[in-house]
Amino acid sequence: MTKPTIFHKILAREIPATIVYEDDEVLAFTDIHPRAETHILFIPKQFVESVAHAHDHLAHIPGMLIQKAKQYAEQHGITGYKLQYNVGPDGGQEVPYIHLHFLSDTPLGNSPEGIPSEQH
Ligand code: 5GP
C-alpha cells in the first residue's frame, strides 16, 4: 500500500474539507487554494494515482469524473467551466491521487443551489 495522500485523508474524514458533492463513486470538495471563483476537485472513491495509471478495470475513471463534473455543472446552473487533469509531477500533479479540477468564474453562491454548507 502506498502512503496515504491528503486526498485519502479527506475521503476518510481525517482532515476537514468543504464537501460539495458525494455519491457512491466520487467525492467533490473545494480546492484549498482556489484559482477561480469556483474551484472544485473531483476524486474517485476507488484510488488511482493519475490518468496515466488508469488502466484495465480503472480505465473508466477519468471519463467518469468528467461525467460527474458535467452533471454537477448542470445541476448548479454553471454554463461555463474548465476541466483539467494534471498528470504526473512533470505535468504539475502535486497530489498523487487522481483528481479532476473544475474551474468556473461562476461563484457557487450565485448558482441556483447556493453555496455549499457541508463542512467536515
Ligand atoms: P495538482 O497540482 O496535484 O493537480 O492539484 C492539487 C490541488 O490540491 C491543488 O490545487 C491544491 O491547492 C489542492 N490541495 C492541496 N492540499 C489540499 C487540502 O488539504 N485540501 C484541499 N481542499 N485542497 C488541497
Side-chain angles (χ1 to χ4, degrees):
M1 168 84 185
T2 53
K3 190 167 170 273
T5 67
I6 198 96
F7 293 169
H8 284 96
K9 293 175 185 171
I10 288 174
L11 192 56
R13 277 31 178 208
E14 289 170 11
I15 65 164
T18 300
I19 294 169
V20 296
Y21 178 78
E22 180 172 21
D23 65 22
D24 289 346
E25 294 179 302
V26 308
L27 187 73
F29 49 92
T30 58
D31 195 293
I32 204 165
H33 299 303
R35 288 188 275 114
E37 287 282 352
T38 296
H39 187 171
I40 297 168
L41 302 172
F42 285 81
I43 66 169
K45 292 191 170 177
Q46 184 170 26
F47 173 70
V48 189
E49 183 172 329
S50 78
V51 169
H53 293 78
H55 303 304
D56 304 323
H57 68 291
L58 303 173
H60 68 287
I61 287 182
M64 183 269 289
L65 293 180
I66 290 172
Q67 287 301 317
K68 300 288 182 180
K70 190 177 96 172
Q71 287 165 14
Y72 183 88
E74 287 167 0
Q75 284 165 4
H76 289 79
I78 299 174
T79 53
Y81 50 90
K82 296 182 175 74
L83 301 176
Q84 181 177 339
Y85 280 117
N86 295 331
V87 185
D90 293 343
Q93 184 178 359
E94 292 175 7
V95 181
Y97 189 127
I98 191 170
H99 49 282
L100 178 65
H101 292 264
F102 176 101
L103 299 139
S104 177
D105 291 335
T106 303
L108 274 184
N110 285 358
S111 71
E113 299 292 325
I115 56 171
S117 57
E118 191 178 3
Q119 294 274 349
H120 289 275

